[in-house]
Amino acid sequence: MGEELTNDAVDAEQLAQRYRALIEHTPDGICVHEHGIVVYVNHAAVRLIGARAAAEVVGQPLTRFVDPASVPGMLRRISKLTTVGAASAPTEMLLRRLDGGTVPVETVSVLTPWHDHYAYQVVIHDLSAQRAAEEAQRRAEQHFTAVVSQLEEGVVVIARGGIVESANPAALRIFGASEHADEVVGHDIEDLPLVLLDANSKPMPVTEHPMARTLATGEPFTGYVFGVDRRDGQRRWLSGSSRLLNPGDRYSSVVSSFSDITEFRASRRQLEYQATHDSLTGLANRSLILSQLAGALAATSDDLPVTTVLFIDLDEFKSINDSLGHSTGDTVLQIVAQRLQRALRSGDQIGRLGGDEFLVLLAQAPGSTDIDAIVAGLRATLAEPIIANGHRIEVRASIGGTALALGDPRSPEEVLHDADVAMYRAKPPGQRDRYGSGPHRGMDSSHVC
């Protein structure tokens, strides 16, 4: 019996030693107090309070180490612990260090046996690292928000249900809603005060926008072009991208960013226009009109887009330049171009080959009589006197044509050559001699008008 008691005492002592070792080496501070006086602190608590040894803390009033603002709440929590093992809810408070500084901590108080009576054991968890991380995150979020708000690029965040969660100032400005942010943020993307357009200027349902597809599938999209018609009547063209805000979360919101490329698109179209149009008359230039002819020759349907090609040359135009100057000659060419455009049908195409030469692509197969009528009408239109720089000028034109057939084997240059030859034949004999008889003046079956 005595041996059993001895063993029990040894086991209890070993258990107590293990408990003390655990308490001394736990990373959380442990403090025991009774009647408001500290009777025990572990190494972690000593370190938290900023003391050199436990002796600087033991025997001191507990309230010395608690920020005054946290004392009333602490005393209320302790007063409610009336049974052994009762514990307070984890509570955040400020611990006061010996150097006067404070440490944010989370504490739990437990009423526990202490020697031959009861005391309060407090577990103190240091929140400094957590608070520093939270503050760093808060600063990062503030920095991110500040950066996004300064971007020229629009940024919109859309929840999975299609509700706009946020929009930066650039997005609101692009949408024409700078003064009406409440009409964008918090609203469904289908209810925004604008109309979406695809790259071809056709209205586009929201469900077909890449942003909506990212919402539905999680798949990112980049570099797509779309337009928006704003309620103020402006149309803006945007280059956008859409991706999940948190790629690892399939239920993540989507962030859509976009740049306003309206001016760039207009500039590019202007450059394209300048590359394909004659700068003097605004007509298609040689490259474009021959490209249009090539497209007609490549047609495979029974309905030919171009049936007849007319070559127009102004008679005695060189004498206008020589006697009245190139400025007057340029004015004449501009007026001729305008008259040709008015005289032709909407489906016909016209280009300036260079100098005083023009090429017309007639659409919709007219009979031969109709061609003669069209040519006669063009000649009559061009023959009307032109007033240019104070001079009254009469212009005559020679016109030749060649018909196209389905599967026509000729190249655009060959068609141009045949129409040119027909125009040469149509010139008055005197003009024909002055026009020349270069190697392209061969005989063919082109229509002479």
Side-chain angles (χ1 to χ4, degrees):
M1 184 71 173
E3 184 178 350
E4 291 178 2
L5 290 174
T6 301
N7 290 338
D8 289 343
V10 170
D11 290 342
E13 180 60 27
Q14 290 177 345
L15 180 61
Q17 288 179 355
R18 286 197 295 269
Y19 179 73
R20 283 194 294 271
L22 177 64
I23 292 298
E24 285 299 326
H25 294 94
T26 181
D28 286 335
I30 302 294
C31 169
V32 178
H33 63 90
E34 57 180 344
H35 307 300
I37 302 299
V38 177
V39 296
Y40 170 82
V41 286
N42 70 348
H43 292 308
V46 170
R47 187 172 58 253
L48 275 172
I49 293 172
R52 291 187 296 271
E56 296 182 53
V57 181
V58 173
Q60 298 292 322
L62 176 66
T63 53
R64 179 182 177 185
F65 306 106
V66 180
D67 185 77
S70 298
V71 170
M74 178 192 70
L75 296 178
R76 283 195 301 272
R77 290 190 296 275
I78 291 175
S79 67
K80 295 179 180 179
L81 304 179
T82 57
T83 59
V84 175
S88 65
T91 305
E92 294 183 11
M93 59 183 291
L94 287 177
L95 185 71
R96 194 164 78 177
R97 293 166 50 90
L98 290 179
D99 61 8
T102 57
V103 180
V105 296
E106 182 181 73
T107 64
V108 174
S109 297
V110 181
L111 183 61
T112 183
W114 180 257
H115 299 297
D116 58 352
H117 50 277
Y118 298 112
Y120 298 97
Q121 178 176 289
V122 185
V123 181
I124 309 168
H125 178 65
D126 187 357
L127 297 176
S128 299
Q130 179 180 332
R131 290 291 180 268
E134 291 172 350
E135 177 61 19
Q137 181 177 358
R138 185 187 65 80
R139 288 197 302 268
E141 290 175 349
Q142 287 180 336
H143 177 72
F144 175 77
T145 300
V147 170
V148 171
S149 67
Q150 296 300 315
L151 290 176
E152 289 297 319
E153 185 178 46
V155 179
V156 175
V157 177
I158 305 100
R160 300 296 295 182
I163 302 300
V164 178
E165 294 182 329
S166 64
N168 72 341
L172 297 174
R173 184 173 62 252
I174 290 170
F175 290 163
S178 297
E179 299 179 0
H180 304 279
D182 57 342
E183 294 184 2
V184 175
V185 178
H187 289 268
D188 193 290
I189 53 177
E190 294 189 14
D191 298 329
L192 297 183
L194 46 84
V195 177
L196 295 176
L197 308 168
D198 63 19
N200 297 315
S201 302
K202 295 181 179 178
M204 174 174 55
V206 172
T207 53
E208 295 181 9
H209 192 282
M211 171 181 59
R213 291 158 61 188
T214 300
L215 276 171
T217 66
E219 182 182 359
F221 293 90
T222 59
Y224 55 83
V225 174
F226 68 103
V228 292
D229 278 346
R230 308 188 331 188
R231 63 181 177 185
D232 61 4
Q234 286 194 42
R235 173 172 293 181
R236 311 304 293 179
W237 288 102
L238 311 174
S239 174
S241 63
S242 302
R243 57 181 58 84
L244 292 179
L245 187 61
N246 299 307
D249 179 7
R250 59 177 295 188
Y251 300 106
S252 167
S253 298
V254 168
V255 57
S256 177
S257 57
F258 38 86
S259 300
D260 191 332
I261 60 169
T262 306
E263 283 70 28
F264 170 77
R265 183 181 173 100
S267 176
R268 187 182 67 180
R269 292 201 169 204
Q270 180 64 20
L271 290 175
E272 292 174 349
Y273 181 87
Q274 292 173 351
T276 56
H277 288 75
D278 176 51
S279 60
L280 178 64
T281 63
L283 298 177
N285 62 13
R286 183 186 187 94
S287 174
L288 178 57
I289 196 68
L290 289 182
S291 175
Q292 292 168 336
L293 176 56
L297 289 170
T300 56
S301 65
D302 293 335
D303 186 16
L304 278 172
V306 175
T307 58
T308 307
V309 177
L310 300 179
F311 194 111
I312 302 174
D313 179 78
L314 304 184
D315 299 332
E316 297 286 358
F317 181 76
K318 183 176 182 300
S319 64
I320 297 175
N321 279 334
D322 292 344
S323 61
L324 302 178
H326 286 278
S327 175
T328 300
D330 287 348
T331 301
V332 170
L333 289 174
Q334 291 172 332
I335 294 174
V336 166
Q338 294 168 5
R339 290 183 177 182
L340 289 174
Q341 288 176 302
R342 289 198 303 269
L344 295 170
R345 301 163 301 178
S346 60
D348 299 331
Q349 302 170 70
I350 179 171
R352 182 187 177 203
L353 296 174
D356 60 345
E357 296 178 337
F358 301 86
L359 196 69
V360 174
L361 310 182
L362 294 178
Q364 301 174 359
S368 58
T369 303
D370 293 327
I371 293 179
D372 290 339
I374 290 173
V375 170
L378 290 175
R379 282 180 173 155
T381 297
L382 296 179
E384 296 176 5
I386 294 174
I387 305 299
N389 296 337
H391 302 282
R392 187 177 187 276
I393 304 168
E394 293 185 1
V395 174
R396 298 289 185 271
S398 296
I399 304 175
T402 182
L404 301 187
L406 186 64
D408 200 309
R410 292 176 294 176
S411 68
E413 288 75 15
E414 290 171 333
V415 172
L416 176 63
H417 169 269
D418 292 345
D420 186 8
V421 169
M423 181 278 299
Y424 172 72
R425 292 177 183 166
K427 278 188 173 293
Q431 290 292 318
R432 192 181 305 174
D433 295 339
R434 283 192 289 274
Y435 189 69
S437 55
H440 63 293
R441 307 298 176 192
M443 300 297 291
D444 68 283
S445 58
S446 300
H447 187 82
V448 179
C449 306

mmCIF file of all heavy atoms in Angstrom, residues 20 103 154 158 174 218 269 272 335 340 368:
data_model
loop_
_atom_site.group_PDB
_atom_site.id
_atom_site.type_symbol
_atom_site.label_atom_id
_atom_site.label_comp_id
_atom_site.label_asym_id
_atom_site.label_seq_id
_atom_site.Cartn_x
_atom_site.Cartn_y
_atom_site.Cartn_z
ATOM 1 N N ARG A 20 4.860 22.241 -15.655
ATOM 2 C CA ARG A 20 5.650 23.455 -15.468
ATOM 3 C C ARG A 20 6.550 23.706 -16.680
ATOM 4 O O ARG A 20 6.707 24.850 -17.123
ATOM 5 C CB ARG A 20 6.493 23.339 -14.186
ATOM 6 C CG ARG A 20 5.700 23.560 -12.904
ATOM 7 C CD ARG A 20 6.633 23.777 -11.728
ATOM 8 N NE ARG A 20 7.398 22.563 -11.434
ATOM 9 C CZ ARG A 20 6.997 21.600 -10.619
ATOM 10 N NH1 ARG A 20 5.823 21.703 -10.010
ATOM 11 N NH2 ARG A 20 7.761 20.547 -10.381
ATOM 12 N N VAL A 103 1.137 46.598 -25.917
ATOM 13 C CA VAL A 103 1.170 45.453 -26.827
ATOM 14 C C VAL A 103 -0.266 44.960 -26.995
ATOM 15 O O VAL A 103 -0.944 44.690 -25.995
ATOM 16 C CB VAL A 103 2.047 44.312 -26.264
ATOM 17 C CG1 VAL A 103 2.067 43.141 -27.240
ATOM 18 C CG2 VAL A 103 3.454 44.799 -25.982
ATOM 19 N N GLY A 154 -9.501 52.024 -67.452
ATOM 20 C CA GLY A 154 -10.691 51.733 -66.657
ATOM 21 C C GLY A 154 -10.594 50.352 -66.027
ATOM 22 O O GLY A 154 -10.120 49.408 -66.660
ATOM 23 N N ILE A 158 -16.609 42.845 -61.184
ATOM 24 C CA ILE A 158 -17.984 42.353 -61.289
ATOM 25 C C ILE A 158 -18.122 41.055 -60.505
ATOM 26 O O ILE A 158 -17.312 40.136 -60.683
ATOM 27 C CB ILE A 158 -18.388 42.114 -62.762
ATOM 28 C CG1 ILE A 158 -18.163 43.379 -63.589
ATOM 29 C CG2 ILE A 158 -19.834 41.686 -62.860
ATOM 30 C CD1 ILE A 158 -16.889 43.341 -64.392
ATOM 31 N N ILE A 174 -14.932 56.937 -68.763
ATOM 32 C CA ILE A 174 -15.092 56.311 -70.080
ATOM 33 C C ILE A 174 -16.564 55.991 -70.348
ATOM 34 O O ILE A 174 -17.056 56.154 -71.461
ATOM 35 C CB ILE A 174 -14.229 55.034 -70.163
ATOM 36 C CG1 ILE A 174 -12.737 55.423 -70.200
ATOM 37 C CG2 ILE A 174 -14.592 54.210 -71.400
ATOM 38 C CD1 ILE A 174 -11.794 54.243 -70.052
ATOM 39 N N GLY A 218 -14.696 31.273 -66.175
ATOM 40 C CA GLY A 218 -13.416 31.501 -65.505
ATOM 41 C C GLY A 218 -12.268 31.697 -66.470
ATOM 42 O O GLY A 218 -11.139 31.974 -66.069
ATOM 43 N N ARG A 269 -7.676 54.514 -88.728
ATOM 44 C CA ARG A 269 -8.583 54.514 -89.881
ATOM 45 C C ARG A 269 -8.221 55.638 -90.849
ATOM 46 O O ARG A 269 -8.332 55.478 -92.065
ATOM 47 C CB ARG A 269 -10.030 54.662 -89.401
ATOM 48 C CG ARG A 269 -10.516 53.458 -88.636
ATOM 49 C CD ARG A 269 -12.030 53.377 -88.620
ATOM 50 N NE ARG A 269 -12.478 52.098 -88.122
ATOM 51 C CZ ARG A 269 -13.652 51.570 -88.402
ATOM 52 N NH1 ARG A 269 -14.473 52.203 -89.199
ATOM 53 N NH2 ARG A 269 -13.999 50.407 -87.904
ATOM 54 N N GLU A 272 -5.296 54.426 -92.725
ATOM 55 C CA GLU A 272 -5.745 53.438 -93.718
ATOM 56 C C GLU A 272 -6.432 54.137 -94.886
ATOM 57 O O GLU A 272 -6.244 53.760 -96.050
ATOM 58 C CB GLU A 272 -6.692 52.434 -93.064
ATOM 59 C CG GLU A 272 -6.014 51.517 -92.053
ATOM 60 C CD GLU A 272 -7.011 50.647 -91.320
ATOM 61 O OE1 GLU A 272 -8.236 50.900 -91.457
ATOM 62 O OE2 GLU A 272 -6.579 49.724 -90.609
ATOM 63 N N ILE A 335 -13.445 68.773 -109.213
ATOM 64 C CA ILE A 335 -14.829 68.944 -109.679
ATOM 65 C C ILE A 335 -15.243 67.760 -110.546
ATOM 66 O O ILE A 335 -16.378 67.260 -110.452
ATOM 67 C CB ILE A 335 -14.975 70.271 -110.446
ATOM 68 C CG1 ILE A 335 -14.756 71.447 -109.474
ATOM 69 C CG2 ILE A 335 -16.343 70.376 -111.112
ATOM 70 C CD1 ILE A 335 -14.722 72.807 -110.142
ATOM 71 N N LEU A 340 -18.435 62.808 -111.331
ATOM 72 C CA LEU A 340 -18.486 61.367 -111.595
ATOM 73 C C LEU A 340 -19.227 60.635 -110.472
ATOM 74 O O LEU A 340 -20.023 59.737 -110.727
ATOM 75 C CB LEU A 340 -17.071 60.804 -111.748
ATOM 76 C CG LEU A 340 -16.314 61.195 -113.028
ATOM 77 C CD1 LEU A 340 -14.875 60.690 -112.968
ATOM 78 C CD2 LEU A 340 -17.022 60.614 -114.263
ATOM 79 N N SER A 368 -26.056 46.378 -123.255
ATOM 80 C CA SER A 368 -25.129 47.242 -123.980
ATOM 81 C C SER A 368 -25.716 48.632 -124.191
ATOM 82 O O SER A 368 -25.011 49.637 -124.129
ATOM 83 C CB SER A 368 -24.772 46.618 -125.334
ATOM 84 O OG SER A 368 -25.960 46.407 -126.096
#
